[in-house]
Amino acid sequence: MSHKIKLEGELLKKAEQCAEASGYESVDEFVLHTIEKEIKRMMPDQGGNTADKEKVTRHLQGLGYIE
């Protein structure tokens, strides 16, 4: 399934500037990545993957926060 989002005016200009400054190939790529990051932030139990969680766990263990 796919859905199109329409950006216009100043919002589009800002998105283009951010995409270019961040090295994205297109505004679409920038917007998609931004939405994915926000979903992972807001829904941590449903986003991310096991490898990321294991990496964080090892890091916290190395710092002595967890055993």
Side-chain angles (χ1 to χ4, degrees):
M1 185 161 89
S2 180
H3 186 80
K4 298 279 183 180
I5 296 174
K6 189 174 184 178
L7 301 177
E8 297 177 320
E10 194 63 29
L11 181 59
L12 177 58
K13 288 179 186 176
K14 289 179 181 180
E16 289 170 338
Q17 291 170 347
C18 289
E20 184 178 336
S22 301
Y24 290 94
E25 294 290 323
S26 66
V27 172
D28 289 345
E29 184 180 306
F30 169 72
V31 170
L32 180 62
H33 185 243
T34 302
I35 291 171
E36 287 172 343
K37 286 191 329 186
E38 188 65 11
I39 288 171
K40 285 180 183 178
R41 186 186 72 76
M42 294 182 72
M43 303 173 73
D45 293 340
Q46 296 177 16
N49 61 39
T50 304
D52 289 340
K53 291 176 186 176
E54 289 174 2
K55 183 177 177 181
V56 170
T57 300
R58 285 193 307 273
H59 184 70
L60 292 174
Q61 286 171 333
L63 293 172
Y65 288 113
I66 59 176
E67 292 182 10

